[in-house]
Amino acid sequence: MSDALMNTYGRLPVTLVRGEGARVWDDGGREYLDALAGIAVCGLGHAHPAVADALADQARTLVHVSNNYHIPAQQELGRRIAEHARQERVFFCNSGAEANETAIKIARRYGHDRGIETPRIVVCEQAFHGRTLATLTATGNPKAQAGFGPMLEGFDRVPFGDVDAIRALAGDQDGIVAVMIEPVQGEGGIRPLPPGRLAELRALCDEKGWLLICDEIQSGMGRTGAWFAQQHESVTADVTTVAKALGNGVPIGACLARGDAGETLVPGSHGTTFGGNPLACRAGLAVLDAIEQDGLVERAAVLGERMVRAFHQALGGLDGVREIRGRGLMIGIELDRDCGELMRRALDAGLLINVTAGSTVRLLPPLIITDDEADRIVDGVATIVRDFLAEG
């Protein structure tokens, strides 16, 4: 293999060259069942015909123009994604990190517009918001930050979903303008907020005049059984970020906002070269069409519940299994020990999975998987977990 690439990834020894639905094939022709979907990117699976057709058609028509001009597909995608997210304004960009950077800039500008010279944002332990310097600062993982200091000023960290800690912080710290949170922590170990906690946060933000920012980069686009995970709590954030599954593999992110937050950015205050270009937005529109027409939000809720129930039957009560949790098709199996090597064992068994937070098996299968494929994922993962734990 080429040694020209920076050594930023610990890659598994396989070269994937083709995909169809929930299955992929390596360069030797071996088939794998994908229970990771490119870390929640390929919600419609691989080589989805509608996305492929939209991309081919747009590539023959107009791939890119700058945001100096109106782009019909961008306007249509903005209208439809804002409607699903219950937001009013959209800024399109290229990635989740860029969407979160936009949210952070909105929060700071929102504070400055109210005379707050040093606006501060409350973030959570074990959060993951990206790898740019601002989003890395917001990320609650010291390992990810190591070697990249100094981090930026203006962030205060509390335990995940600890509303009392945020209330206490408000008494000690001036200048808070926003709370930034993932309704379901993905990289942090598939941890949903306890029931009612997001509604408490919404009420606190309303009381204090703060913005509630929901990072739905991983949990958005139907994955949890609602278009956005905040909707399980009937909460609407002031700012919502989304990326990953929005383009089903075509890079696109979006920062959505409503009310005053949606009016904060003005011409010249923010921008991007590639964000929201015709190609990416045609992919996004094809994704929305497929999710709506095939009822994939509801499908994720039903299938996720079924898979979690099956994992409880297969692994519940087993020594070494600390917790099985999830929401929709975001499923985590936390063990009492480091289990990174399970990714390699799953590969040997013909499965693509992930391990996050050191000890949690993370499963993010495509929303289009069949019942039979879901059963195969449960059987395969349960087998390798049991074998791993039996070795002590």
Side-chain angles (χ1 to χ4, degrees):
M1 303 298 288
S2 168
D3 59 0
L5 304 178
M6 289 192 184
N7 187 28
T8 50
Y9 303 102
R11 300 179 195 270
L12 292 164
V14 64
T15 302
L16 301 174
V17 296
R18 184 169 69 87
E20 182 179 340
R23 297 173 296 158
V24 291
W25 286 264
D26 68 18
D27 55 356
R30 189 183 179 205
E31 178 183 316
Y32 303 83
L33 184 56
D34 188 355
L36 186 59
I39 312 184
V41 168
C42 301
L44 302 184
H46 301 279
H48 191 280
V51 177
D53 288 347
L55 288 172
D57 179 67
Q58 191 61 48
R60 286 191 294 264
T61 307
L62 184 68
V63 170
H64 178 80
V65 292
S66 85
N67 281 298
N68 288 337
Y69 310 99
H70 294 290
I71 301 171
Q74 184 186 101
Q75 293 173 334
E76 176 65 7
L77 181 61
R79 182 190 67 77
R80 289 176 60 184
I81 192 66
E83 185 175 311
H84 283 302
R86 301 168 187 167
Q87 304 283 325
E88 297 166 350
R89 299 281 192 173
V90 185
F91 174 80
F92 284 111
C93 49
N94 307 292
S95 68
E98 198 180 342
N100 282 336
E101 285 273 352
T102 306
I104 291 166
K105 288 181 69 174
I106 286 175
R108 288 190 167 193
R109 187 73 173 247
Y110 174 87
H112 282 289
D113 287 347
R114 283 154 182 75
I116 298 172
E117 292 187 6
T118 54
R120 307 190 67 80
I121 300 172
V122 179
V123 293
C124 294
E125 295 173 358
Q126 297 177 292
F128 185 85
H129 296 298
R131 296 184 188 277
T132 61
L133 268 179
T135 59
L136 187 63
T137 305
T139 289
N141 183 345
K143 286 177 65 178
Q145 295 175 342
F148 297 107
M151 296 291 110
L152 302 183
E153 294 292 328
F155 293 88
D156 299 298
R157 197 170 309 285
V158 298
F160 179 51
D162 189 337
V163 181
D164 289 338
I166 299 174
R167 285 187 181 280
L169 193 63
D172 298 335
Q173 183 66 265
D174 292 330
I176 294 174
V177 295
V179 176
M180 186 174 190
I181 194 165
E182 298 160 279
V184 184
Q185 285 191 336
E187 191 76 14
I190 311 293
R191 298 178 184 279
L193 275 171
R197 202 61 56 82
L198 195 61
E200 285 185 58
L201 273 177
R202 176 70 276 176
L204 179 60
C205 288
D206 288 341
E207 174 190 331
K208 299 292 186 183
W210 301 341
L211 300 180
L212 176 62
I213 301 172
C214 281
D215 175 346
E216 300 243 23
I217 303 298
Q218 193 168 134
S219 61
M221 301 304 294
R223 174 153 293 280
T224 69
W227 272 98
F228 292 89
Q230 60 191 270
Q231 293 164 358
H232 289 291
E233 298 284 331
S234 299
V235 164
T236 302
D238 300 292
V239 181
T240 299
T241 54
V242 63
K244 288 191 179 288
L246 179 55
N248 207 55
V250 176
I252 181 171
C255 179
L256 303 102
R258 69 188 181 101
D260 289 346
E263 306 301 325
T264 298
L265 299 180
V266 297
S269 62
H270 196 50
T272 175
T273 295
F274 297 105
N277 77 18
L279 190 73
C281 288
R282 280 293 301 276
L285 286 169
V287 168
L288 288 185
D289 287 344
I291 292 175
E292 292 170 355
Q293 292 165 11
D294 297 340
L296 295 181
V297 177
E298 297 78 10
R299 172 74 175 159
V302 171
L303 199 53
E305 185 176 340
R306 171 181 163 173
M307 291 180 71
V308 168
R309 188 165 58 244
F311 274 122
H312 276 289
Q313 292 171 349
L315 297 172
L318 193 68
D319 284 347
V321 176
R322 185 169 285 163
E323 189 176 16
I324 299 165
R325 55 180 176 256
R327 180 157 282 171
L329 288 175
M330 289 185 79
I331 299 171
I333 303 166
E334 183 179 351
L335 306 186
D336 64 356
R337 65 202 72 175
D338 287 347
C339 61
E341 71 173 89
L342 288 182
M343 292 171 61
R344 174 70 174 263
R345 294 189 184 205
L347 198 65
D348 292 342
L351 283 171
L352 304 187
I353 69 167
N354 182 236
V355 170
T356 190
S359 59
T360 299
V361 175
R362 174 167 56 171
L363 303 174
L364 303 160
L367 276 56
I368 48 82
I369 58 168
T370 65
D371 289 353
D372 177 64
E373 289 167 339
D375 291 343
R376 286 169 55 196
I377 291 171
V378 172
D379 291 344
V381 171
T383 297
I384 63 169
V385 167
R386 276 196 299 265
D387 291 347
F388 174 71
L389 293 174
E391 295 169 9

